[in-house]
Amino acid sequence: MSLADRVRHPDFLQRVMSADEAAALIPAGANVGMSGFTGAGYPKAVPMALARRIEALHAQGQPFKIGLWTGASTAPELDGALAKVGGIEMRMPYQSDPACRQRINAGQMQYMDIHLSHMAQFVWFGFLGKLDVAVVEVAGVLPDGRLIPSSSVGNNKTWLDQADKIILEVNDLQNPGLEGMHDIYYGTDRPPHRKPIPMTAPDERIGEPYLRCDLSKVIAVVHTSQSDRNSTFAAPDAVSEQIAGHIIEFMQQEVKLGRLPANLLPLQSGVGNIANAVLAGLNQGPFENLTAYTEVLQDGMLDMLRSGKLASASATALSLSPAALEDFTRNIDFYRQRIVLRPQEISNHPELVRRLGVIAMNAMIEADIYGNVNSTHIMGTSIMNGIGGSGDFARNGYLSFFMTPSVAKGGAISCIVPMASHVDHTEHDVQVIVTEQGLADLRGLSPTQRAELIIDKCAHPDFRPALRDYLERARHSGGGQHTPHLLPEALSWHQRFVETGTMRG
Amino acid sequence: MSLADRVRHPDFLQRVMSADEAAALIPAGANVGMSGFTGAGYPKAVPMALARRIEALHAQGQPFKIGLWTGASTAPELDGALAKVGGIEMRMPYQSDPACRQRINAGQMQYMDIHLSHMAQFVWFGFLGKLDVAVVEVAGVLPDGRLIPSSSVGNNKTWLDQADKIILEVNDLQNPGLEGMHDIYYGTDRPPHRKPIPMTAPDERIGEPYLRCDLSKVIAVVHTSQSDRNSTFAAPDAVSEQIAGHIIEFMQQEVKLGRLPANLLPLQSGVGNIANAVLAGLNQGPFENLTAYTEVLQDGMLDMLRSGKLASASATALSLSPAALEDFTRNIDFYRQRIVLRPQEISNHPELVRRLGVIAMNAMIEADIYGNVNSTHIMGTSIMNGIGGSGDFARNGYLSFFMTPSVAKGGAISCIVPMASHVDHTEHDVQVIVTEQGLADLRGLSPTQRAELIIDKCAHPDFRPALRDYLERARHSGGGQHTPHLLPEALSWHQRFVETGTMRG
């Protein structure tokens, strides 16, 4: 396919250059806003070229780093390549790359872990400094200069709007049928000029299908032909299926009690194997005519759209396995009628999440007996990925589930601990905790009532006696009994793991 | 004044009875929704009568407890009286009463600490069980049966709507001039039927000035004549004035940098002496034509309305000193044009707080070096008051300040600690930390960058070396360096205080 089929505006075609030439236009110290959300729609060539340039400069003893902002996680060709050469000074708002993680946890790279709904507006407000360059993958350029978005929207609207200079990657492996699937809302503003966001249903379109782009800022157009990360998820295992089973049983009960409509409320589902298992369970389950208002569409949601269980899905990105991508490509006309891809400030907007009454389902690393949830840190100090959108959905949703297997590392780690080693979701924001052992419905309970329930329902039987013992001794320790703790022991399970490789005593 | 002047509907007058008679209509085990928010507009007679009844029943060996839901804190005649006789099984969503606190921390009473914006909707959703009885203070009853709200609105709309039975207290010491000051929005609904809330300015009226009331549910009308709690605040001390000074200087800088409009954005201010000092500072300060969108109007805001610095104020409750109340009473026509009192699901609504771009200013108990904030717990275990609305405003506001003196208990406690002993506001939600020592602007910083700034700017000089030492050793401990911690030491400052009465080593 010739680039002119994708780039239908002559002035854009005049700015075509190689990735290396484009990367050379990014100055040291720049804040660069790149596209990309959960391994979809990220630029594939310029970051690699920039990494090569940085490596060469570093070899000559010249310092070169950028501030790297994205939608969310990207791929080895972006985060991995730039982290490996030490090219990132500060990373926001979410990452899940092994090389990034290693550098951050080695103290060689800064990372600020931000709610995904906050990122765009903090840039509009000027809170994070100037955005110098946008590097955005698109599926094409219209004759009038508007852009056909790629497989994710993320913060692209904001990057194109706020950056001084724009580099576009036109990826001819992105399906041209994506055109029309996006809904870019241009009604946002800064206070005091904000208006209500006019959406009352998860599938409602309130914007336009294209990204606006100021041609005078476009300094490079790079032609690529490379597929997204397209990670394969593991088939649901027994533990994930048990977690899914508890959630579906609970939802059935809520419907029966009149606390949820028969077709539930819009579903939000985090990424990963447990989430896919829940979706698989819902696809076999009793609910019909469901909707989704979420960040990421992964395989499970495509299955549900195809089966008809899911009537529509709103997200900001796709994150598909190769097999699912094949199906998506083949049936893109079907999916285009049922999927809306939005900017992440809309997909995760507190106003909309609360109005629509989203059911939030997110994985976690650990919860403590009082219902405080750690989504981000290993043993209190090392970042795993980031909070992502879990806070946007958990705080504002109608119902909020946090899910984890009860143990990790072959049973060495209890995911229910006396005190969370880092708190991302406080006791005020956590309604339901689920492990393969069972489900703890924390609504309306005090901390000690929650503790008893979480230990009984969610903790692994191997760890229950020690948790009960902790709670009992904390209650009789002479400290306050609202949230009883033994301060010298509260984090001792984590310390034991650090020292001995297991939390078991 | 005769009760008929206040109760202008004959059927309501027929249900007049004594507080003891009304209290006798509340069954054991009932969930009771009482009015009251920061010591304003709470029922004054029925709770005391109920406490007497409970005491008598307990003396006879008969169990009697209720679930007690309010707007926020109340007064000794309500929380205090019922807690002292052991009459409360479960308390929600906020309390600040010494007797309540003592019982909760002794493990004799349950308390669930809920975001104030969540309470009403959780009741609508049926998440907290059935509301049996509403006990609501009003300033009067209209001839058509609608109610003139009192000095707070809180959750009264929800209690009147959701309860099976209603007991009204008509307090003839509440100023009749309150009529017309309230704005009760009846456009809320449960998902999937929710619509945008049609408000775009903090002083906009979107509802009606009266509470609707189903006469068939009214089982008692009780006549009272008793003033609100009307606590006096201390005059701003040097520490509070220094905190206020840092905030005002920072705001001036933000205006200069174009990150805030010249008249700022709507102010939210927590209750207390520091908050009053900030308001006093703003009243002397350079900003004109300010607005407030907050929970509680305290003395400082009345001063600002009177001086003209504050053009309008929206809240859900008054909380005035006796002197301020006198001024308020004398000039109620002036204040009625400038004050709107709303239900707390509206005053604290995430949708509105984010849209309006509220500047949130809240006190805290402690922050850790990474910017996690504890607003609720003493030494990790004992509840102080509750999170109140601080989470509603901090998460969704344009800017969020958390304020505390750098030390407490005469210098024995550092309010900047290695690890917060309880987390109510996570690192993702805290933008600016202020003590009398200085202000730390955490926007765009990684955890270790935040740590250096918080120690340098906010910690008391006496504690800085130990905090720096902790950070340094944590960085070299072999753990992850994203959020360096020494797990065995992280809570040792709190433990030292518990054991020795001081955090000093």
Side-chain angles (χ1 to χ4, degrees), chain A residues 120-303:
Chain A
Q121 69 169 11
F122 284 1
V123 176
W124 311 338
F125 299 166
F127 287 179
L128 306 177
K130 180 84 196 83
L131 182 65
D132 300 294
V133 186
V135 183
V136 174
E137 179 181 276
V138 296
V141 182
L142 296 186
D144 64 10
R146 286 180 299 164
L147 311 175
I148 304 170
S150 177
S151 48
S152 69
V153 180
N155 285 314
N156 294 350
K157 164 182 159 273
T158 295
W159 298 167
L160 294 167
D161 182 50
Q162 296 282 316
D164 288 336
K165 296 173 179 176
I166 295 169
I167 297 172
L168 297 176
E169 286 199 6
V170 182
N171 185 352
D172 66 21
L173 271 194
Q174 291 292 0
N175 196 324
L178 285 169
E179 185 174 351
M181 196 176 280
H182 311 89
D183 185 62
I184 316 297
Y185 179 62
Y186 279 95
T188 56
D189 206 335
R190 297 190 305 163
H193 306 295
R194 283 182 165 166
K195 300 274 176 273
I197 300 173
M199 189 195 300
T200 54
D203 61 348
E204 199 171 341
R205 288 178 176 274
I206 58 172
E208 43 200 85
Y210 305 108
L211 287 161
R212 300 175 190 170
C213 178
D214 177 353
L215 173 66
S216 72
K217 300 201 293 185
V218 177
I219 56 171
V221 175
V222 176
H223 185 185
T224 68
S225 188
Q226 195 179 327
S227 68
D228 281 330
R229 189 178 69 194
N230 303 331
S231 314
T232 302
F233 290 100
D237 58 9
V239 163
S240 299
E241 282 174 354
Q242 283 162 341
I243 292 172
H246 297 313
I247 290 178
I248 290 165
E249 188 189 336
F250 175 82
M251 287 174 168
Q252 286 183 281
Q253 186 66 12
E254 291 294 298
V255 171
K256 210 164 140 189
L257 292 170
R259 295 197 291 232
L260 272 178
N263 70 335
L264 307 182
L265 285 164
L267 303 170
Q268 177 262 334
S269 164
V271 183
N273 293 329
I274 296 179
N276 254 338
V278 173
L279 298 175
L282 286 167
N283 205 20
Q284 308 296 322
F287 308 112
E288 305 290 338
N289 204 26
L290 299 171
T291 59
Y293 196 81
T294 189
E295 280 172 11
V296 181
L297 282 188
Q298 55 178 3
D299 292 19
M301 284 209 179
L302 285 204
D303 294 342

Side-chain angles (χ1 to χ4, degrees), chain A residues 39-97:
Chain A
Y42 55 92
K44 278 105 183 156
V46 173
M48 298 279 281
L50 182 61
R52 288 192 297 272
R53 181 176 162 220
I54 290 172
E55 196 167 30
L57 287 168
H58 285 184
Q60 296 164 24
Q62 290 189 45
F64 195 117
K65 289 190 181 193
I66 61 166
L68 176 59
W69 309 346
T70 62
S73 61
T74 63
E77 305 99 291
L78 199 171
D79 268 314
L82 287 167
K84 273 182 190 151
V85 300
I88 306 173
E89 175 63 35
M90 167 60 83
R91 180 77 176 86
M92 303 180 199
Y94 182 89
Q95 59 74 41
S96 68
D97 183 85

Side-chain angles (χ1 to χ4, degrees), chain A residues 370-373 395 402 423-431 450, chain B residues 113 115 373 387 395 422-426 429:
Chain A
Y370 298 114
N372 300 283
V373 163
R395 170 75 66 89
F402 282 97
V423 177
D424 297 289
H425 306 284
T426 71
E427 54 160 333
H428 317 286
D429 291 321
V430 177
Q431 291 180 300
R450 294 196 294 262
Chain B
D113 188 9
H115 297 296
V373 163
I387 191 170
R395 169 75 66 89
H422 187 267
V423 178
D424 297 289
H425 306 285
T426 71
D429 290 320

Side-chain angles (χ1 to χ4, degrees), chain A residues 110 354 377 424 428 446 483, chain B residues 110 194 377 424 428 446 483:
Chain A
Q110 305 301 319
R354 179 142 162 166
H377 280 65
D424 297 289
H428 317 286
S446 70
T483 308
Chain B
Q110 306 301 318
R194 282 181 166 167
H377 279 64
D424 297 289
H428 318 286
S446 71
T483 307

Side-chain angles (χ1 to χ4, degrees), chain B residues 313-351:
Chain B
S314 165
T316 191
L318 306 171
S319 184
L320 303 177
S321 70
L325 180 66
E326 209 182 298
D327 163 56
F328 178 80
T329 304
R330 216 172 30 241
N331 300 298
I332 196 152
D333 293 334
F334 171 88
Y335 288 117
R336 199 185 314 103
Q337 290 166 32
R338 289 160 181 82
I339 293 173
V340 187
L341 295 178
R342 311 178 187 275
Q344 72 192 68
E345 75 263 22
I346 299 298
S347 67
N348 288 37
H349 202 297
E351 173 174 339

